[in-house]
Amino acid sequence: MITIHIEDETGMLKLGGELAHQLDGEGSVLIKGDLGAGKTTLCRGLIHAMGHEGAVKSPTFTLVEPYRIGKRDIFHFDLYRLSHPDELEYIGIDEYFGENRLCLVEWPEKAAGHLPHHDLEIAIDVCGEKRNISIQANSRDGESICDSLSKTYDQT
């Protein structure tokens, strides 16, 4: 696990861009944090770095926003309004995960036991205007990403 200290929104967007280059458009990332922590900002930076030029909004009411970039599909989930994890069966959650697909899942704790294996788990902790980002690897790819990010960001 690594911890990265982010000063502002620009830093959060930059981290999203770094993650985009490391993920290479495939995998799954769970993103935890309180309301207003910057989960969607992180996703926006990532999706824009992948090549999307339009708006990236929080899919709070739709549960998922799909993006097609080149030959890759990116699915941005926001599970905040989920009442029960079984509701994910109605949207066919398992069909979103697979090769050449990147799934970004905000509020994954709302889906307890219903999400496939994930590469990274990101927790955003708010400290005033700053953010402490903890990134836990849960796969070999995730470990490689954490190693690379630890070289980019000072860990002190």
Side-chain angles (χ1 to χ4, degrees):
M1 178 166 62
I2 66 169
T3 300
I4 298 170
H5 308 286
I6 301 293
E7 298 291 323
D8 54 21
E9 181 178 357
T10 301
M12 190 68 83
L13 293 168
K14 180 183 175 207
L15 176 59
E18 293 289 336
L19 284 168
H21 297 301
Q22 298 298 320
L23 285 163
D24 197 29
E26 188 171 307
S28 58
V29 180
L30 306 185
I31 307 164
K32 298 179 179 182
D34 292 335
L35 285 171
K39 297 178 297 296
T40 299
T41 301
L42 180 69
C43 291
R44 183 178 302 117
L46 192 153
I47 293 167
H48 281 157
M50 297 292 290
H52 179 71
E53 295 179 7
V56 175
K57 58 185 178 163
S58 176
T60 302
F61 294 101
T62 59
L63 291 180
V64 63
E65 278 292 324
Y67 300 90
R68 179 79 173 172
I69 302 171
K71 295 181 180 182
R72 292 189 182 98
D73 290 308
I74 299 174
F75 299 102
H76 178 197
F77 295 88
D78 183 331
L79 305 181
Y80 180 72
R81 296 198 178 277
L82 203 66
S83 298
H84 192 278
D86 289 342
E87 292 176 43
L88 291 172
E89 298 302 318
Y90 298 121
I91 66 168
I93 191 73
D94 293 333
E95 296 174 24
Y96 289 97
F97 294 79
E99 286 188 36
N100 291 319
R101 294 174 174 206
L102 175 60
C103 292
L104 308 171
V105 183
E106 296 183 35
W107 299 96
E109 58 274 20
K110 297 276 196 163
H114 285 73
L115 293 175
H117 179 75
H118 53 280
D119 298 297
L120 295 173
E121 186 172 316
I122 299 174
I124 304 172
D125 184 38
V126 178
C127 301
E129 295 297 315
K130 299 177 183 178
R131 305 293 188 262
N132 292 325
I133 316 293
S134 299
I135 304 176
Q136 173 71 45
N138 292 315
S139 70
R140 192 168 291 158
D141 287 341
E143 289 173 6
S144 175
I145 292 167
C146 283
D147 287 345
S148 181
L149 287 173
S150 68
K151 295 172 187 167
T152 303
Y153 289 89
D154 181 15
Q155 300 299 295
T156 59

